[in-house]
Amino acid sequence: MADSTGQEPTEPGHTGAVAADPYDRIAWRDLYARSAALRELAAELAARHAHTTDLLADAFLAAYLAAPRVREAAEMAPSRRFNREVVAELAASPGFAALRRETAGDPYAAALAVLAEAPALRLLLDRTEPVREAADRAAESRRSAGRPARTAGETARQAGATAGALGAGATSADGAAGPASAPAAPAGQAASRAEAAARQALEAATPGIRAAARTATAQAVRVTREEAALMRAWGVGHGELERMPYEERARLAERLRTGRLARWAELIGRFRQMADGERARKVENATGELIGVTLGDDLSRVLPSELAHLGLPELRAVFAARYAAGELMLYDSRGEQTTGQGAVIACVDTSHSMYEEGPGGITREAWSKACALALLDQARHARRDFVGILFSAADKLQVFRFPAGRPAPVERVLEFAETFLGGGTSYQRPLSAAAALLAEEFDTAARGRGDIVLITDDECGVTEQWTREWQEARHRLGFRLFGLAVGAPTATASGSVLEALCDNLRPIEDLTDVRAAADLFRLI
């Protein structure tokens, strides 16, 4: 029976503690060939301890298989019973079920779990070297015990052949076959004693193995969950990850774990969670935020006290008269338009001042990019195109288009998040570019009512000629402009340029608060 390296075992029993078919072991060998980290770990452990590559294969299969089965100790080759005990304790650990929710059927995640378990396994192997040495001695004793029996068998076969040639009485007269088997008994006894010593050593080490297995599993759960949360924060779904080649997925994970992107993950995750919640609460054709009571004839907003009149026959005529005169008491609301159909365009300021940090060490850039990525999700849920426009000075602009009918490539999303132009701030060019994109969409696809979100931390002037052209475009295309002034309260003051341009403008002062933009996701 072949072990995980494809070599025939030199002792009876299995060398793999987890029962797996050849296809599952191919998955391990393929991943092992692709993962430099796994190969480095295997080489490090193999230089100090025996049979560790088999142990890594077992740990991988236990995490990867849909229904892993750990073999009984009696089925194992003596030298691998230690591996079997380790894997059995891993599978019995309290966190193992949680780990398998992240790793089952996903070879990359299973390999990540093995790498996360490595520190605890390394320490365990160092502490239990005598246990495995005893197992190796038992295996060698068993092999030695088999040699006299094989020699006796060969001698008997040779004697039989000679007897056939010389006559039937030659064998009994020679008597050679009997004495040849005599050494087998002492050798077998020695093998039994060695195996008993190995079992006792393993039993004594079991509590330590159990503790190490629990530590390894807890670490693997933490690492795999963190990576899964990191991918979700950046909008990379589980299905997309499973289709991604191993090398590409490893590079992506490394990219997201390092640099600015790693610091943004938690904020992006909170933005996306908030936006999901707002979408769940969203009501089409909502009338807006309630601000008081007014008079009118809109039956959808009639106060309950007015509707009560319909329950009294003598007051029904009064209700009808007030309805005809438009004098029913209605809930008044701050007018909110229905959501658009055209593209969602996020114009994000990337001038030098956006590097400034606010509370919690969050930069204005991080808050703005996280909001923009949540708007990308918003557009995709509504089957609307999304465009990200990064701007700073008048000569610095970069456009990222994400059509509704196509997947949003993660590399393109990350490029949008990482790009920073630097320089000053100019509104005219990014807003003109946004209006031109909406005009193109309107002319080619007859879709109007797009939404532009301008996220900036500065105020700048606009020309009178540009303002006239802007108003003409807005009247023709029916788009809305939402303004988010990040850390710039003066930009939202009465009479500011942003106040004049925006249909909906709000200041963002606390960068730890994602709910400051919550109603944006109900309106768009």
Side-chain angles (χ1 to χ4, degrees), residues 38 41 65 77 96 139 145 197 236 257 324 359 379 396 407 412 442 445 469-470 473 482 487:
L38 277 178
L41 174 62
L65 294 182
F96 191 68
V236 186
R257 279 195 296 263
K396 293 185 177 181
R412 189 67 171 160
F442 182 80
E469 293 173 355
W470 171 259
F482 298 85

Side-chain angles (χ1 to χ4, degrees), residues 439-518:
E440 176 188 342
E441 183 180 40
F442 182 80
D443 293 338
T444 59
R447 286 198 299 269
R449 293 169 45 220
D451 291 308
I452 303 172
V453 181
L454 177 64
I455 310 176
T456 182
D457 72 339
D458 201 358
E459 185 175 15
C460 65
V462 293
T463 67
E464 190 172 327
Q465 174 64 28
W466 180 88
T467 303
R468 282 197 298 270
E469 293 173 355
W470 171 259
Q471 296 296 349
E472 289 172 2
R474 180 152 62 176
H475 177 73
R476 183 172 80 92
L477 302 172
F479 60 76
R480 298 175 294 181
L481 176 61
F482 298 85
L484 299 173
V486 184
T490 58
T492 61
S494 178
S496 68
V497 173
L498 277 179
E499 186 197 40
L501 289 176
C502 295
D503 301 287
N504 185 306
L505 175 64
R506 74 209 66 195
I508 306 297
E509 298 178 5
D510 183 1
L511 300 185
T512 63
D513 181 17
V514 300
R515 296 208 62 81

